[in-house]
Amino acid sequence: MPDPSPTTPPGLLLATDLSARCDRPLERAKQLADEFSIPLVVLTVHDAPQAPGDVLQWLDGDAGRAHQERAAREEFAREFAGSSLQVAQRFATGAAPAAILDSAATLPGAIVVAGASQHDSLGDLLLGSTVEKLARGLAQPLLVVRQRVRGPYRRIMVATDFTPASTLALETAARLFPGRRITVFHAHDADMRVADTLAPDAPPHAELIRFLDRCALPPGARELVDPVIGEGEPASQLARHVVDNSIDLVVLGLHEESALMRLLTGSRSEYLLQAVVCDTLLVRPPVRPGEDDENEKT
């Protein structure tokens, strides 16, 4: 049985190029570092150029990278001038997923923070992208930031399909954010069984309560959990609840065998992830022996 005590992560790792499109994840990382009183590491990865103006610097090799690093250090110094946060800056070269995974491996337990471009949906990010590779390869939670920071996360939702991955999602949310109300949401579709653990003919609400009973939650957390059943197609129900209830943060437990992962990688995934417009914390159980080869850092 895991320790149900509230947990403060040992640190945060923000993957950013310090451009305007990374402002939202930067502000959220600063807010969380202040809330938890933990160190923040800002990682800038030198990858192939994404804009025509970057091509000449990239072709300059070491000289171009030195110029980029100097500019990033100056921007970093301006951003955190006078800040009381514990902040460090790192640089890496190469493919972004591998560089972020390598840096994260040196910070066990740290939450990795990344962001979405204004022109990308979360679905675009997850399907065949850096964020998908991070979600599959990280041993620690991945926070994908989309919204402006208006204070700490207050309205938190955990989506459950009653699998161990969902258990981990709820336990993680309750430990990271003690004292917050958490909606545990299960979308019941009579035409689709979402988990092998669902008892035959069990009423959805009763199964949801049994799921909560199996979770190792901090003292007092169960009283702050609001179990909710959505009737209908899971993707649309989940997305609707997020919008109708002004959810700040959705916590998803991902595992290759879970119904949620099948949902994320299935035909409904683009609609689901575009519609879930709030920040998303992705957690997955520890990688089993033999799975490392399936999560190569490419």
Side-chain angles (χ1 to χ4, degrees):
M1 177 70 68
D3 181 4
S5 302
T7 300
T8 298
L12 297 164
L13 174 64
L14 170 67
T16 177
D17 57 10
L18 293 178
S19 67
R21 70 186 181 91
C22 293
D23 283 352
R24 293 182 181 184
L26 173 61
E27 290 304 311
R28 178 57 69 183
K30 290 164 64 177
Q31 181 271 312
L32 289 172
D34 182 60
E35 176 182 346
F36 292 133
S37 297
I38 56 176
L40 168 62
V41 175
V42 178
L43 174 68
T44 301
V45 181
H46 296 305
D47 203 343
Q50 302 299 313
D54 299 332
V55 173
L56 291 180
Q57 288 185 355
W58 183 66
L59 292 176
D60 283 342
D62 291 341
R65 285 193 294 272
H67 177 81
Q68 288 180 325
E69 286 193 17
R70 185 166 58 253
R73 290 184 192 281
E74 292 172 354
E75 177 62 24
F76 179 87
R78 287 192 294 268
E79 180 66 37
F80 292 98
S83 172
S84 60
L85 298 175
Q86 305 173 61
V87 190
Q89 190 173 27
R90 291 185 182 181
F91 295 93
T93 302
I100 297 169
L101 288 170
D102 285 344
S103 192
T106 70
L107 300 167
I111 296 176
V112 177
V113 183
S117 165
Q118 290 181 338
H119 306 293
D120 291 336
S121 71
L122 185 53
D124 296 332
L125 282 169
L126 267 175
L127 302 178
S129 70
T130 295
V131 171
E132 181 188 21
K133 293 170 185 174
L134 293 179
R136 292 179 180 275
L138 283 170
Q140 56 259 67
L142 172 65
L143 176 63
V144 181
V145 177
R146 306 191 73 203
Q147 296 296 317
R148 291 186 177 90
V149 176
R150 296 183 174 89
Y153 291 125
R154 296 297 182 190
R155 302 179 184 89
I156 300 172
M157 185 177 86
V158 174
T160 180
D161 56 4
F162 306 137
T163 58
S166 297
T167 300
L168 177 63
L170 177 54
E171 292 174 350
T172 299
R175 293 173 195 163
L176 286 176
F177 303 105
R180 317 287 171 87
R181 298 208 69 87
I182 298 176
T183 297
V184 178
F185 183 87
H186 170 66
H188 172 67
D189 189 338
D191 297 326
M192 182 178 71
R193 300 193 67 76
V194 298
D196 294 336
T197 57
L198 192 63
D201 302 321
H205 189 269
E207 188 63 27
L208 179 53
I209 297 303
R210 283 194 285 271
F211 166 78
L212 295 177
D213 289 340
R214 295 194 297 267
C215 294
L217 302 179
R222 178 63 182 272
E223 290 73 18
L224 297 173
V225 170
D226 299 315
V228 175
I229 295 289
E231 295 288 344
E233 195 276 321
S236 60
Q237 290 299 312
L238 177 65
R240 180 184 296 275
H241 190 86
V242 167
V243 173
D244 289 349
N245 295 274
S246 301
I247 298 296
D248 299 320
L249 177 69
V250 170
V251 184
L252 294 175
L254 302 184
H255 193 278
E256 283 73 11
E257 297 176 358
S258 74
L260 280 173
M261 178 59 87
R262 292 197 298 272
L263 186 63
L264 292 175
T265 56
S267 60
R268 301 182 183 92
S269 59
E270 183 175 358
Y271 168 73
L272 168 65
L273 295 171
Q274 286 175 351
V276 177
V277 295
C278 63
D279 293 1
T280 309
L281 183 66
L282 306 174
V283 299
R284 63 190 301 269
V287 176
R288 297 190 303 266
E291 285 186 336
D292 290 337
D293 294 339
E294 299 175 10
N295 296 309
E296 293 180 354
K297 298 177 290 184
T298 56

